[in-house]
Amino acid sequence: MKKRVFSGARPTGRQHIGNYLGAIQNYVELQKDYQCVYCIVDLHALTTLQGSEAVDQIQQNVREMILDWLAAGLDPKQSILFVQSQVPEVTELQTLLSMSTPLSWLMRVPTFKEKVKMQPENVNYGLLGYPVLMTADIVLYKAEVVPVGEDQVPHLELAREIVRRFNGLYGDTFPEPQPKLTHAPMILGIDGVQKMSKQLDNHIELAATPEETARRIMTAFTDPARKRKGDPGHPEVCNIHHLHEAFQPEKAREIAPQCRNAEIGCVECKKLLAGEINEALAPLRERRRELATRPRYIREVLGDGAERARAIARVTMEEVRERMGLVARETG
Ligand code: TYM
């Protein structure tokens, strides 16, 4: 039997090129050799989206996300694509795993500390339990490989600790999941310093128009040492150079010495990058436009994905309940 892959992403809206380069490219690649399960984690989204914002946005965001995924090459015939809340077993497993997860492990998670700073008015219980739900996501399908960007690696370390503790208490039940990174596991935003993220509005959407893509790139920060065209550049510290490397490594190698010798200016370099991105994403954007006209197909993909996911989840939960002493034994 093929080994299983699991990954998830929060439905915060359209996916950006950070998601694409850091995760989605691997989601697509791994379909060849693994049974892949990819999940739109709407419950996780509720740790930050609340009230009318959640009610207004989640369904639309789920739709945007599945369009991006399908357009990028996720194949619902090969992979299971579904929405987290459609498989409620995951919340039961989260509760059961939480019973053996020390609070101190959760309080030291970097993303928890970040969120406490970012949304001090809403430090909810779900936020603290976020990595336990994430562990439940993965181990419900007994996945061994988890394609993610670098920012998720601490979550996976914790997931392995949670698994080790559970297996130690109740016997070998779950494999320890390993992260799988791409060659570009951390894409910075157009501000050139922070992780590309929709929340920081420093992102470029996969589905952006070519004009919008070029406009965003033209506002991007480059090597701060290059104030005038004649100043020599340092491609190794320039985010525009890193994006060239991600989209067209050969072009990046060609441009790097020109930048160092001040033979090419930042404006020209950015124009080239916008062209590369638009060329690379043109087929994806075209497929996305076509898929957007087929809402019934999209519903079917997610409905079928949820059914297939539930079938696996039910079997795992029977085993977990049994191992934890939650099933009455025949006493004769
Ligand atoms: P999320 O929704 O923030 O991001 C989805 C995926 O995109 C990657 N990513 C990036 N990679 C490189 N550069 C960037 N700037 C960048 N921004 C995002 C993320 O690393 C991620 O792989 N907690 C997860 C969702 C989740 C999950 C899971 C993932 C829930 N359960 C189980 C794996 C397994 C998250 O918030 O991803």
Side-chain angles (χ1 to χ4, degrees), residues 195-215:
K195 181 182 91 169
M196 182 174 285
S197 115
K198 180 181 160 114
Q199 219 174 351
L200 298 168
D201 194 23
N202 64 1
H203 62 302
I204 297 169
E205 288 176 352
L206 276 181
T209 61
E211 297 73 29
E212 168 76 354
T213 305
R215 202 177 57 71

Side-chain angles (χ1 to χ4, degrees), residues 273-289:
L273 176 65
E276 283 163 25
I277 295 180
N278 285 334
E279 194 186 318
L281 296 182
L284 182 156
R285 289 168 173 170
E286 181 53 42
R287 274 195 300 276
R288 194 185 198 281
R289 267 192 295 277

